[in-house]
Amino acid sequence: MAKIDFGGIVEEVITSEEFTLEKARQVLKNEVVAVVGYGIQGRGQSLNMRDNGVNVLVGEGPYAWDQAVADGFVPGETLFSPEEAAKRGTIIQYLLSDAGQKEMWPVMKNCLQPGNALYFSHGFSIVYKEQTGVIPPADIDVILVAPKGSGTTVRSNFLDGSGINSSYAVFQDATGKARERTLAVGIAIGSGYLFPTTFEQEVFSDLTGERGVLMGCLAGVMEAQYNVLRKNGHSPSEAFNETVEELTQSLIRLVAENGMDWMYANCSITAQRGALDWKDRFRDAVAPVFDSLYESVKSGRETQIVLEASQAPDYREKLRKELEVIHNSEMWKAGAAVRNLRPERRKK
């Protein structure tokens, strides 16, 4: 394991140079990886493993069956119903939605054989077992690899050779091989490096991040700034460019390449001074919201909200209407117009 200094804290990570793809193939040579759920994450991981020479089966219902066929999985050979794929696999990747995992568990648990590995990419079902009912038998491995990105990114990064960062955890080691299986699958799905976590820490950080900086907070803060600019007479195009376009097309790329301090150092003095003077005020203003958010995640309230909402018969229709509100807002209509004015799009 490589020892890396993360801001003064030394952590051990597994890199693809030390746990090579060849080693992963060797570990998995007698395994059959059954991917149950060909959604966004399932598709990305399945295709990467197949391209890396792993024996992969897909278990899918009508929802994404045609997509799996289009991607080259063959009905009756490498494509089956979720139940049949799980029975044929030795490592079962349980990649249905969180609500879907709860719903299918009574069937899934009867498909597992002693010595199997049950694999997750999210700690949700295991950590909140009182709400999901997902309690694996004692004679199987229970493992996790959680890519730090959507399944779309898992696939696109693999294709461009950059890989993706992933966390990994072992919840239950019945065979004595759980950790080795975990790392092998983690490398096979395209991870550039893997860092250790627990099922609990993974789900707490993931649910907080999605509701916070990664999605919920980001969207809310953007709306707040856009609305202030519009209220003060700025045009939609100017408000959107100053709120979203410059962030996504310029500044965040500098942060990604070299960090926030480097981005600050490579902006104007006016931008530097203003950002440094206001940064702590924003941090202190939102800190209570994040404290409340983390407590809601830890207590299971967020889990209950997700399960109740996703199981409602009209959930997809309600979701469509909620997303339409965003799509039809002035801010994101302005965004569509701004994106179409990017030079690379005008050349097409």
Side-chain angles (χ1 to χ4, degrees), residues 202-223:
E202 189 283 329
V203 74
F204 288 176
S205 61
D206 188 74
L207 293 183
T208 299
E210 291 169 347
R211 285 150 180 75
V213 169
L214 300 179
M215 295 176 68
C217 172
L218 181 63
V221 169
M222 285 178 171
E223 288 180 16

mmCIF file with all atom_site columns, all heavy atoms in Angstrom, residues 202-223:
data_model
loop_
_atom_site.group_PDB
_atom_site.id
_atom_site.type_symbol
_atom_site.label_atom_id
_atom_site.label_alt_id
_atom_site.label_comp_id
_atom_site.label_asym_id
_atom_site.label_entity_id
_atom_site.label_seq_id
_atom_site.pdbx_PDB_ins_code
_atom_site.Cartn_x
_atom_site.Cartn_y
_atom_site.Cartn_z
_atom_site.occupancy
_atom_site.B_iso_or_equiv
_atom_site.pdbx_formal_charge
_atom_site.auth_seq_id
_atom_site.auth_comp_id
_atom_site.auth_asym_id
_atom_site.auth_atom_id
_atom_site.pdbx_PDB_model_num
ATOM 1   N N   . GLU A 1 202 ? -18.761 5.583  4.041   1.00 0.00 ? 202 GLU A N   1
ATOM 2   C CA  . GLU A 1 202 ? -19.046 5.829  2.626   1.00 0.00 ? 202 GLU A CA  1
ATOM 3   C C   . GLU A 1 202 ? -20.431 6.424  2.443   1.00 0.00 ? 202 GLU A C   1
ATOM 4   O O   . GLU A 1 202 ? -20.604 7.415  1.728   1.00 0.00 ? 202 GLU A O   1
ATOM 5   C CB  . GLU A 1 202 ? -18.936 4.520  1.830   1.00 0.00 ? 202 GLU A CB  1
ATOM 6   C CG  . GLU A 1 202 ? -18.990 4.703  0.317   1.00 0.00 ? 202 GLU A CG  1
ATOM 7   C CD  . GLU A 1 202 ? -20.392 4.949  -0.254  1.00 0.00 ? 202 GLU A CD  1
ATOM 8   O OE1 . GLU A 1 202 ? -21.371 4.436  0.316   1.00 0.00 ? 202 GLU A OE1 1
ATOM 9   O OE2 . GLU A 1 202 ? -20.514 5.668  -1.265  1.00 0.00 ? 202 GLU A OE2 1
ATOM 10  N N   . VAL A 1 203 ? -21.432 5.843  3.075   1.00 0.00 ? 203 VAL A N   1
ATOM 11  C CA  . VAL A 1 203 ? -22.796 6.332  2.841   1.00 0.00 ? 203 VAL A CA  1
ATOM 12  C C   . VAL A 1 203 ? -23.015 7.680  3.511   1.00 0.00 ? 203 VAL A C   1
ATOM 13  O O   . VAL A 1 203 ? -23.709 8.544  2.953   1.00 0.00 ? 203 VAL A O   1
ATOM 14  C CB  . VAL A 1 203 ? -23.855 5.294  3.279   1.00 0.00 ? 203 VAL A CB  1
ATOM 15  C CG1 . VAL A 1 203 ? -23.994 5.192  4.786   1.00 0.00 ? 203 VAL A CG1 1
ATOM 16  C CG2 . VAL A 1 203 ? -25.211 5.621  2.655   1.00 0.00 ? 203 VAL A CG2 1
ATOM 17  N N   . PHE A 1 204 ? -22.418 7.909  4.683   1.00 0.00 ? 204 PHE A N   1
ATOM 18  C CA  . PHE A 1 204 ? -22.577 9.208  5.326   1.00 0.00 ? 204 PHE A CA  1
ATOM 19  C C   . PHE A 1 204 ? -21.960 10.314 4.471   1.00 0.00 ? 204 PHE A C   1
ATOM 20  O O   . PHE A 1 204 ? -22.554 11.378 4.283   1.00 0.00 ? 204 PHE A O   1
ATOM 21  C CB  . PHE A 1 204 ? -21.916 9.209  6.715   1.00 0.00 ? 204 PHE A CB  1
ATOM 22  C CG  . PHE A 1 204 ? -22.643 8.401  7.754   1.00 0.00 ? 204 PHE A CG  1
ATOM 23  C CD1 . PHE A 1 204 ? -22.113 8.251  9.022   1.00 0.00 ? 204 PHE A CD1 1
ATOM 24  C CD2 . PHE A 1 204 ? -23.849 7.781  7.482   1.00 0.00 ? 204 PHE A CD2 1
ATOM 25  C CE1 . PHE A 1 204 ? -22.771 7.513  10.000  1.00 0.00 ? 204 PHE A CE1 1
ATOM 26  C CE2 . PHE A 1 204 ? -24.521 7.035  8.451   1.00 0.00 ? 204 PHE A CE2 1
ATOM 27  C CZ  . PHE A 1 204 ? -23.971 6.903  9.709   1.00 0.00 ? 204 PHE A CZ  1
ATOM 28  N N   . SER A 1 205 ? -20.744 10.076 3.957   1.00 0.00 ? 205 SER A N   1
ATOM 29  C CA  . SER A 1 205 ? -20.082 11.103 3.143   1.00 0.00 ? 205 SER A CA  1
ATOM 30  C C   . SER A 1 205 ? -20.787 11.284 1.809   1.00 0.00 ? 205 SER A C   1
ATOM 31  O O   . SER A 1 205 ? -20.949 12.402 1.315   1.00 0.00 ? 205 SER A O   1
ATOM 32  C CB  . SER A 1 205 ? -18.608 10.758 2.940   1.00 0.00 ? 205 SER A CB  1
ATOM 33  O OG  . SER A 1 205 ? -18.448 9.529  2.262   1.00 0.00 ? 205 SER A OG  1
ATOM 34  N N   . ASP A 1 206 ? -21.249 10.182 1.217   1.00 0.00 ? 206 ASP A N   1
ATOM 35  C CA  . ASP A 1 206 ? -21.873 10.252 -0.100  1.00 0.00 ? 206 ASP A CA  1
ATOM 36  C C   . ASP A 1 206 ? -23.198 11.010 -0.051  1.00 0.00 ? 206 ASP A C   1
ATOM 37  O O   . ASP A 1 206 ? -23.448 11.894 -0.880  1.00 0.00 ? 206 ASP A O   1
ATOM 38  C CB  . ASP A 1 206 ? -22.092 8.842  -0.634  1.00 0.00 ? 206 ASP A CB  1
ATOM 39  C CG  . ASP A 1 206 ? -22.550 8.835  -2.082  1.00 0.00 ? 206 ASP A CG  1
ATOM 40  O OD1 . ASP A 1 206 ? -21.712 9.102  -2.961  1.00 0.00 ? 206 ASP A OD1 1
ATOM 41  O OD2 . ASP A 1 206 ? -23.750 8.587  -2.338  1.00 0.00 ? 206 ASP A OD2 1
ATOM 42  N N   . LEU A 1 207 ? -24.045 10.664 0.908   1.00 0.00 ? 207 LEU A N   1
ATOM 43  C CA  . LEU A 1 207 ? -25.339 11.337 0.991   1.00 0.00 ? 207 LEU A CA  1
ATOM 44  C C   . LEU A 1 207 ? -25.166 12.817 1.351   1.00 0.00 ? 207 LEU A C   1
ATOM 45  O O   . LEU A 1 207 ? -25.893 13.675 0.842   1.00 0.00 ? 207 LEU A O   1
ATOM 46  C CB  . LEU A 1 207 ? -26.239 10.651 2.025   1.00 0.00 ? 207 LEU A CB  1
ATOM 47  C CG  . LEU A 1 207 ? -26.710 9.237  1.688   1.00 0.00 ? 207 LEU A CG  1
ATOM 48  C CD1 . LEU A 1 207 ? -27.657 8.713  2.758   1.00 0.00 ? 207 LEU A CD1 1
ATOM 49  C CD2 . LEU A 1 207 ? -27.381 9.177  0.323   1.00 0.00 ? 207 LEU A CD2 1
ATOM 50  N N   . THR A 1 208 ? -24.190 13.114 2.206   1.00 0.00 ? 208 THR A N   1
ATOM 51  C CA  . THR A 1 208 ? -23.924 14.517 2.528   1.00 0.00 ? 208 THR A CA  1
ATOM 52  C C   . THR A 1 208 ? -23.408 15.258 1.308   1.00 0.00 ? 208 THR A C   1
ATOM 53  O O   . THR A 1 208 ? -23.856 16.376 1.009   1.00 0.00 ? 208 THR A O   1
ATOM 54  C CB  . THR A 1 208 ? -22.894 14.618 3.677   1.00 0.00 ? 208 THR A CB  1
ATOM 55  O OG1 . THR A 1 208 ? -23.424 13.972 4.840   1.00 0.00 ? 208 THR A OG1 1
ATOM 56  C CG2 . THR A 1 208 ? -22.593 16.072 4.013   1.00 0.00 ? 208 THR A CG2 1
ATOM 57  N N   . GLY A 1 209 ? -22.488 14.646 0.564   1.00 0.00 ? 209 GLY A N   1
ATOM 58  C CA  . GLY A 1 209 ? -21.914 15.301 -0.606  1.00 0.00 ? 209 GLY A CA  1
ATOM 59  C C   . GLY A 1 209 ? -22.928 15.573 -1.694  1.00 0.00 ? 209 GLY A C   1
ATOM 60  O O   . GLY A 1 209 ? -22.952 16.656 -2.294  1.00 0.00 ? 209 GLY A O   1
ATOM 61  N N   . GLU A 1 210 ? -23.802 14.593 -1.961  1.00 0.00 ? 210 GLU A N   1
ATOM 62  C CA  . GLU A 1 210 ? -24.818 14.777 -3.006  1.00 0.00 ? 210 GLU A CA  1
ATOM 63  C C   . GLU A 1 210 ? -25.790 15.895 -2.663  1.00 0.00 ? 210 GLU A C   1
ATOM 64  O O   . GLU A 1 210 ? -26.172 16.687 -3.531  1.00 0.00 ? 210 GLU A O   1
ATOM 65  C CB  . GLU A 1 210 ? -25.589 13.475 -3.210  1.00 0.00 ? 210 GLU A CB  1
ATOM 66  C CG  . GLU A 1 210 ? -24.772 12.366 -3.847  1.00 0.00 ? 210 GLU A CG  1
ATOM 67  C CD  . GLU A 1 210 ? -25.471 11.027 -3.785  1.00 0.00 ? 210 GLU A CD  1
ATOM 68  O OE1 . GLU A 1 210 ? -26.471 10.884 -3.040  1.00 0.00 ? 210 GLU A OE1 1
ATOM 69  O OE2 . GLU A 1 210 ? -25.019 10.107 -4.477  1.00 0.00 ? 210 GLU A OE2 1
ATOM 70  N N   . ARG A 1 211 ? -26.200 15.937 -1.407  1.00 0.00 ? 211 ARG A N   1
ATOM 71  C CA  . ARG A 1 211 ? -27.130 16.980 -0.988  1.00 0.00 ? 211 ARG A CA  1
ATOM 72  C C   . ARG A 1 211 ? -26.424 18.311 -0.792  1.00 0.00 ? 211 ARG A C   1
ATOM 73  O O   . ARG A 1 211 ? -27.065 19.371 -0.839  1.00 0.00 ? 211 ARG A O   1
ATOM 74  C CB  . ARG A 1 211 ? -27.817 16.551 0.323   1.00 0.00 ? 211 ARG A CB  1
ATOM 75  C CG  . ARG A 1 211 ? -28.863 15.493 0.093   1.00 0.00 ? 211 ARG A CG  1
ATOM 76  C CD  . ARG A 1 211 ? -29.044 14.561 1.287   1.00 0.00 ? 211 ARG A CD  1
ATOM 77  N NE  . ARG A 1 211 ? -30.070 13.569 0.994   1.00 0.00 ? 211 ARG A NE  1
ATOM 78  C CZ  . ARG A 1 211 ? -29.883 12.515 0.179   1.00 0.00 ? 211 ARG A CZ  1
ATOM 79  N NH1 . ARG A 1 211 ? -28.705 12.330 -0.395  1.00 0.00 ? 211 ARG A NH1 1
ATOM 80  N NH2 . ARG A 1 211 ? -30.874 11.675 -0.063  1.00 0.00 ? 211 ARG A NH2 1
ATOM 81  N N   . GLY A 1 212 ? -25.112 18.238 -0.573  1.00 0.00 ? 212 GLY A N   1
ATOM 82  C CA  . GLY A 1 212 ? -24.331 19.429 -0.315  1.00 0.00 ? 212 GLY A CA  1
ATOM 83  C C   . GLY A 1 212 ? -23.618 19.961 -1.537  1.00 0.00 ? 212 GLY A C   1
ATOM 84  O O   . GLY A 1 212 ? -24.240 20.270 -2.556  1.00 0.00 ? 212 GLY A O   1
ATOM 85  N N   . VAL A 1 213 ? -22.296 20.061 -1.452  1.00 0.00 ? 213 VAL A N   1
ATOM 86  C CA  . VAL A 1 213 ? -21.500 20.755 -2.472  1.00 0.00 ? 213 VAL A CA  1
ATOM 87  C C   . VAL A 1 213 ? -21.689 20.187 -3.871  1.00 0.00 ? 213 VAL A C   1
ATOM 88  O O   . VAL A 1 213 ? -21.745 20.931 -4.853  1.00 0.00 ? 213 VAL A O   1
ATOM 89  C CB  . VAL A 1 213 ? -20.008 20.716 -2.080  1.00 0.00 ? 213 VAL A CB  1
ATOM 90  C CG1 . VAL A 1 213 ? -19.128 21.192 -3.232  1.00 0.00 ? 213 VAL A CG1 1
ATOM 91  C CG2 . VAL A 1 213 ? -19.773 21.580 -0.850  1.00 0.00 ? 213 VAL A CG2 1
ATOM 92  N N   . LEU A 1 214 ? -21.802 18.863 -3.999  1.00 0.00 ? 214 LEU A N   1
ATOM 93  C CA  . LEU A 1 214 ? -21.812 18.261 -5.331  1.00 0.00 ? 214 LEU A CA  1
ATOM 94  C C   . LEU A 1 214 ? -23.047 18.609 -6.141  1.00 0.00 ? 214 LEU A C   1
ATOM 95  O O   . LEU A 1 214 ? -22.975 18.753 -7.363  1.00 0.00 ? 214 LEU A O   1
ATOM 96  C CB  . LEU A 1 214 ? -21.688 16.736 -5.217  1.00 0.00 ? 214 LEU A CB  1
ATOM 97  C CG  . LEU A 1 214 ? -20.431 16.221 -4.526  1.00 0.00 ? 214 LEU A CG  1
ATOM 98  C CD1 . LEU A 1 214 ? -20.448 14.701 -4.461  1.00 0.00 ? 214 LEU A CD1 1
ATOM 99  C CD2 . LEU A 1 214 ? -19.184 16.710 -5.249  1.00 0.00 ? 214 LEU A CD2 1
ATOM 100 N N   . MET A 1 215 ? -24.203 18.722 -5.491  1.00 0.00 ? 215 MET A N   1
ATOM 101 C CA  . MET A 1 215 ? -25.432 18.943 -6.255  1.00 0.00 ? 215 MET A CA  1
ATOM 102 C C   . MET A 1 215 ? -26.369 19.961 -5.597  1.00 0.00 ? 215 MET A C   1
ATOM 103 O O   . MET A 1 215 ? -26.610 21.030 -6.135  1.00 0.00 ? 215 MET A O   1
ATOM 104 C CB  . MET A 1 215 ? -26.159 17.601 -6.484  1.00 0.00 ? 215 MET A CB  1
ATOM 105 C CG  . MET A 1 215 ? -25.376 16.641 -7.360  1.00 0.00 ? 215 MET A CG  1
ATOM 106 S SD  . MET A 1 215 ? -26.151 15.020 -7.550  1.00 0.00 ? 215 MET A SD  1
ATOM 107 C CE  . MET A 1 215 ? -27.603 15.429 -8.502  1.00 0.00 ? 215 MET A CE  1
ATOM 108 N N   . GLY A 1 216 ? -26.908 19.611 -4.414  1.00 0.00 ? 216 GLY A N   1
ATOM 109 C CA  . GLY A 1 216 ? -27.933 20.459 -3.820  1.00 0.00 ? 216 GLY A CA  1
ATOM 110 C C   . GLY A 1 216 ? -27.449 21.855 -3.484  1.00 0.00 ? 216 GLY A C   1
ATOM 111 O O   . GLY A 1 216 ? -28.067 22.857 -3.870  1.00 0.00 ? 216 GLY A O   1
ATOM 112 N N   . CYS A 1 217 ? -26.350 21.938 -2.760  1.00 0.00 ? 217 CYS A N   1
ATOM 113 C CA  . CYS A 1 217 ? -25.796 23.239 -2.380  1.00 0.00 ? 217 CYS A CA  1
ATOM 114 C C   . CYS A 1 217 ? -25.366 24.026 -3.615  1.00 0.00 ? 217 CYS A C   1
ATOM 115 O O   . CYS A 1 217 ? -25.652 25.223 -3.731  1.00 0.00 ? 217 CYS A O   1
ATOM 116 C CB  . CYS A 1 217 ? -24.620 23.035 -1.438  1.00 0.00 ? 217 CYS A CB  1
ATOM 117 S SG  . CYS A 1 217 ? -23.696 24.530 -1.046  1.00 0.00 ? 217 CYS A SG  1
ATOM 118 N N   . LEU A 1 218 ? -24.695 23.359 -4.536  1.00 0.00 ? 218 LEU A N   1
ATOM 119 C CA  . LEU A 1 218 ? -24.212 24.029 -5.744  1.00 0.00 ? 218 LEU A CA  1
ATOM 120 C C   . LEU A 1 218 ? -25.358 24.661 -6.512  1.00 0.00 ? 218 LEU A C   1
ATOM 121 O O   . LEU A 1 218 ? -25.310 25.837 -6.890  1.00 0.00 ? 218 LEU A O   1
ATOM 122 C CB  . LEU A 1 218 ? -23.465 23.026 -6.628  1.00 0.00 ? 218 LEU A CB  1
ATOM 123 C CG  . LEU A 1 218 ? -22.867 23.581 -7.922  1.00 0.00 ? 218 LEU A CG  1
ATOM 124 C CD1 . LEU A 1 218 ? -21.801 24.621 -7.625  1.00 0.00 ? 218 LEU A CD1 1
ATOM 125 C CD2 . LEU A 1 218 ? -22.290 22.451 -8.768  1.00 0.00 ? 218 LEU A CD2 1
ATOM 126 N N   . ALA A 1 219 ? -26.423 23.890 -6.741  1.00 0.00 ? 219 ALA A N   1
ATOM 127 C CA  . ALA A 1 219 ? -27.569 24.420 -7.487  1.00 0.00 ? 219 ALA A CA  1
ATOM 128 C C   . ALA A 1 219 ? -28.225 25.569 -6.739  1.00 0.00 ? 219 ALA A C   1
ATOM 129 O O   . ALA A 1 219 ? -28.588 26.596 -7.333  1.00 0.00 ? 219 ALA A O   1
ATOM 130 C CB  . ALA A 1 219 ? -28.579 23.303 -7.744  1.00 0.00 ? 219 ALA A CB  1
ATOM 131 N N   . GLY A 1 220 ? -28.374 25.428 -5.423  1.00 0.00 ? 220 GLY A N   1
ATOM 132 C CA  . GLY A 1 220 ? -29.024 26.472 -4.644  1.00 0.00 ? 220 GLY A CA  1
ATOM 133 C C   . GLY A 1 220 ? -28.226 27.764 -4.607  1.00 0.00 ? 220 GLY A C   1
ATOM 134 O O   . GLY A 1 220 ? -28.784 28.864 -4.751  1.00 0.00 ? 220 GLY A O   1
ATOM 135 N N   . VAL A 1 221 ? -26.905 27.655 -4.438  1.00 0.00 ? 221 VAL A N   1
ATOM 136 C CA  . VAL A 1 221 ? -26.056 28.849 -4.396  1.00 0.00 ? 221 VAL A CA  1
ATOM 137 C C   . VAL A 1 221 ? -26.046 29.538 -5.759  1.00 0.00 ? 221 VAL A C   1
ATOM 138 O O   . VAL A 1 221 ? -26.076 30.777 -5.850  1.00 0.00 ? 221 VAL A O   1
ATOM 139 C CB  . VAL A 1 221 ? -24.624 28.473 -3.948  1.00 0.00 ? 221 VAL A CB  1
ATOM 140 C CG1 . VAL A 1 221 ? -23.670 29.635 -4.161  1.00 0.00 ? 221 VAL A CG1 1
ATOM 141 C CG2 . VAL A 1 221 ? -24.630 28.057 -2.486  1.00 0.00 ? 221 VAL A CG2 1
ATOM 142 N N   . MET A 1 222 ? -26.000 28.758 -6.825  1.00 0.00 ? 222 MET A N   1
ATOM 143 C CA  . MET A 1 222 ? -26.058 29.353 -8.165  1.00 0.00 ? 222 MET A CA  1
ATOM 144 C C   . MET A 1 222 ? -27.343 30.141 -8.349  1.00 0.00 ? 222 MET A C   1
ATOM 145 O O   . MET A 1 222 ? -27.331 31.274 -8.864  1.00 0.00 ? 222 MET A O   1
ATOM 146 C CB  . MET A 1 222 ? -25.946 28.256 -9.230  1.00 0.00 ? 222 MET A CB  1
ATOM 147 C CG  . MET A 1 222 ? -24.563 27.689 -9.427  1.00 0.00 ? 222 MET A CG  1
ATOM 148 S SD  . MET A 1 222 ? -24.603 26.364 -10.666 1.00 0.00 ? 222 MET A SD  1
ATOM 149 C CE  . MET A 1 222 ? -22.858 26.069 -10.886 1.00 0.00 ? 222 MET A CE  1
ATOM 150 N N   . GLU A 1 223 ? -28.467 29.548 -7.949  1.00 0.00 ? 223 GLU A N   1
ATOM 151 C CA  . GLU A 1 223 ? -29.752 30.237 -8.092  1.00 0.00 ? 223 GLU A CA  1
ATOM 152 C C   . GLU A 1 223 ? -29.764 31.535 -7.292  1.00 0.00 ? 223 GLU A C   1
ATOM 153 O O   . GLU A 1 223 ? -30.262 32.566 -7.767  1.00 0.00 ? 223 GLU A O   1
ATOM 154 C CB  . GLU A 1 223 ? -30.890 29.327 -7.632  1.00 0.00 ? 223 GLU A CB  1
ATOM 155 C CG  . GLU A 1 223 ? -31.185 28.188 -8.580  1.00 0.00 ? 223 GLU A CG  1
ATOM 156 C CD  . GLU A 1 223 ? -32.316 27.307 -8.078  1.00 0.00 ? 223 GLU A CD  1
ATOM 157 O OE1 . GLU A 1 223 ? -33.056 27.744 -7.165  1.00 0.00 ? 223 GLU A OE1 1
ATOM 158 O OE2 . GLU A 1 223 ? -32.465 26.177 -8.585  1.00 0.00 ? 223 GLU A OE2 1
#
